[in-house]
Amino acid sequence: MKSITVNELEKLDPEKITIIDIRKQEDYQRNTIPNAINVPTETFQDTIPDLDRAKPVYVLCYTGEKSDGAVELLEEAGYDAANITGGYRAFLRLKLSRMVQNESELEEKRKEIERSLLKKFRKSIWRKFTKAVQEYQLIQEGDKIAVCISGGKDSMLMAKLFQELQRHGKIPFELVFLVMNPGYNQDNWKIIQDNARVLGIPLTVFESDIFNIVAGVDKNPCYLCARMRRGYLYSNAKRLGCNKIALGHHFDDVIETILMGMLYSGKIETMMPKLHSTNFEGMELIRPLYMVKEADIKAWRDYNSLHFIQCACRFTENCASCGGGRGSKRDEMKELIAGFRQTSGLIEANIFKSVYNINLRTVIGYQKDGQTHNFLENY
């Protein structure tokens, strides 16, 4: 099977070639290789597109793996087709590398990103961020906070918000932008580092071997990985003198958790805006994006033409990033909530409010401090 690199593709005359992007339409609309047309994988499998047979066809997916199958189908249909090595991720990596090498362009880009938070996204992001900080008392004077960065849109936005709050806020506190490398591949790791440079975030990095440890686990590897990552973050934050770690969970994560608890665990619970650590004395976890909606995070990302990794996990990056990842209960909740939004704009807000307005007089039972209570106790 023939293939071509992004660098080689750039040197070809765009009038004499055809580029097909088989990623989801929403990903294609955000950004793609210049002159590419979109034929999503689902459509492609049903109908081979009618293309100019005089032109060679180059196929793009997210990682360069799913596009192999599309190239085979095109070849069987008689086209001169080739795979774009590394896919969109290779294009993104090249684009980011060029940007970080231009210091003046980088500085202007950084200023634009910061202005957007305080102006265009002041109401939808900045005010909701500061409201959560104040309402849940997430930051106190003298705090040293480890802002935990995974490389995705949520944690990167959180880092910028913390930077702006430190610059413009009235409460003095310290920040450490903490990144764990649990075994990312070189492509993802470079994208994380380059994006941090674009945003002006100074990273404090530590290594772990989590991906190798969970590689042989068949049952719930994601659960084990998440627990181990949290423990490593706590221990390294404490080693650096931090008393808090900040995670990038947002409003949608909160309401998805409420629904998952009800539908799959038979209980009402949610992510808390802050928690005391049970294993690391004196440490606290905070979630400052608690009131910020994912749609607004995506809008900020797209407005600033930022491109973050979609999934850095070694076991899901190739399938999930191409739009063909394994479905999860959280994915089910996302789809369910998307349907609710089409029905009424109030439903998601009411799901969020439901854990604020629990009427204990109309609850059959509840748990507190390890004890189960029943309404008959006070009947």
Side-chain angles (χ1 to χ4, degrees):
M1 181 179 297
K2 293 194 296 185
S3 62
I4 188 170
T5 67
V6 175
N7 279 348
E8 292 169 337
L9 190 66
E10 285 185 327
K11 298 173 183 177
L12 300 179
D13 184 347
E15 298 295 324
K16 296 180 179 180
I17 63 174
T18 300
I19 302 173
I20 296 179
D21 186 337
I22 65 169
R23 296 177 302 149
K24 291 181 179 178
Q25 186 179 34
E26 61 184 284
D27 294 327
Y28 167 80
Q29 289 175 338
R30 279 188 55 225
N31 193 44
T32 189
I33 288 179
N35 303 306
I37 61 174
N38 185 220
V39 184
T41 303
E42 296 77 11
T43 304
F44 201 101
Q45 290 173 340
D46 295 333
T47 306
I48 299 295
D50 185 16
L51 305 169
D52 185 346
R53 292 181 179 272
K55 296 180 180 180
V57 182
Y58 300 99
V59 186
L60 176 81
C61 72
Y62 194 82
T63 63
E65 296 195 8
K66 182 169 284 191
S67 46
D68 278 349
V71 170
E72 289 181 2
L73 290 173
L74 285 166
E75 287 179 332
E76 290 172 4
Y79 288 97
D80 177 13
N83 186 34
I84 300 174
T85 305
Y88 175 77
R89 193 168 60 188
F91 169 70
L92 170 58
R93 191 169 66 252
L94 180 64
K95 186 176 179 180
L96 276 171
S97 296
R98 288 172 177 169
M99 182 182 292
V100 298
Q101 290 169 9
N102 188 328
E103 197 58 45
S104 59
E105 180 184 345
L106 197 60
E107 182 61 27
E108 183 56 36
K109 177 74 172 178
R110 199 172 293 151
K111 289 178 181 178
E112 289 175 4
I113 292 168
E114 292 165 357
R115 280 195 296 267
S116 74
L117 285 174
L118 299 180
K119 293 186 177 180
K120 182 173 179 62
F121 296 96
R122 187 175 189 85
K123 182 178 179 180
S124 59
I125 293 179
W126 176 253
R127 285 182 182 172
K128 290 183 178 179
F129 167 75
T130 55
K131 182 180 179 181
V133 168
Q134 294 167 5
E135 187 167 316
Y136 303 125
Q137 301 176 19
L138 301 184
I139 301 176
Q140 281 77 41
E141 184 174 342
D143 278 345
K144 187 173 183 180
I145 303 168
V147 182
C148 301
I149 297 174
S150 66
K153 66 185 189 312
D154 308 327
S155 61
M156 288 292 195
L157 169 62
M158 178 177 65
K160 283 308 296 180
L161 289 167
F162 266 117
Q163 275 190 335
E164 293 303 300
L165 185 63
Q166 191 179 48
R167 290 170 185 161
H168 305 292
K170 298 178 180 179
I171 300 175
F173 61 93
E174 295 181 62
L175 293 172
V176 175
F177 299 101
L178 191 61
V179 179
M180 174 177 60
N181 184 350
Y184 295 140
N185 65 47
Q186 291 183 350
D187 291 348
N188 275 336
W189 184 230
K190 189 168 191 321
I191 290 173
I192 291 171
Q193 292 173 305
D194 285 346
N195 271 321
R197 282 204 63 195
V198 170
L199 293 170
I201 299 169
L203 302 180
T204 298
V205 179
F206 70 93
E207 306 282 336
S208 76
D209 201 29
I210 290 178
F211 283 176
N212 285 334
I213 293 172
V214 302
V217 176
D218 293 326
K219 188 176 181 180
N220 294 328
C222 297
Y223 174 76
L224 176 61
C225 181
R227 283 185 63 91
M228 292 181 67
R229 286 162 71 98
R230 187 77 56 87
Y232 273 106
L233 289 169
Y234 267 123
S235 59
N236 279 272
K238 190 165 187 176
R239 176 179 58 81
L240 293 167
C242 299
N243 64 312
K244 292 178 179 177
I245 68 169
L247 300 183
H249 296 120
H250 47 64
F251 175 89
D252 294 67
D253 293 320
V254 176
I255 62 175
E256 288 160 16
T257 300
I258 296 170
L259 289 181
M260 279 196 297
M262 293 173 62
L263 300 180
Y264 283 102
S265 300
K267 54 187 177 183
I268 297 175
E269 62 180 9
T270 190
M271 289 178 172
M272 298 297 288
K274 63 179 181 180
L275 291 168
H276 290 295
S277 172
T278 55
N279 297 318
F280 296 87
E281 187 177 354
M283 293 291 292
E284 191 175 4
L285 180 155
I286 61 174
R287 294 183 169 106
L289 297 185
Y290 205 77
M291 297 180 175
V292 179
K293 294 184 178 181
E294 185 175 27
D296 294 320
I297 298 175
K298 289 179 177 179
W300 167 79
R301 174 199 65 191
D302 296 346
Y303 177 81
N304 289 289
S305 299
L306 296 169
H307 306 281
F308 304 110
I309 57 174
Q310 294 186 39
C311 182
C313 174
R314 179 190 301 169
F315 309 110
T316 62
E317 61 190 1
N318 291 337
C319 58
S321 296
C322 284
R326 297 172 298 180
S328 66
K329 290 183 176 63
R330 189 165 292 276
D331 291 331
E332 290 178 26
M333 297 305 104
K334 286 183 183 295
E335 291 182 12
L336 187 61
I337 292 167
F340 288 154
R341 287 185 178 124
Q342 293 178 356
T343 303
S344 169
L346 296 176
I347 295 178
E348 61 177 356
N350 286 337
I351 295 171
F352 186 76
K353 290 177 183 176
S354 69
V355 291
Y356 284 80
N357 300 317
I358 296 173
N359 185 347
L360 291 180
R361 291 188 179 276
T362 61
V363 172
I364 301 297
Y366 65 93
Q367 296 178 0
K368 184 178 180 181
D369 300 329
Q371 298 292 318
T372 298
H373 302 271
N374 189 283
F375 81 104
L376 292 173
E377 293 173 7
N378 299 307
Y379 184 72

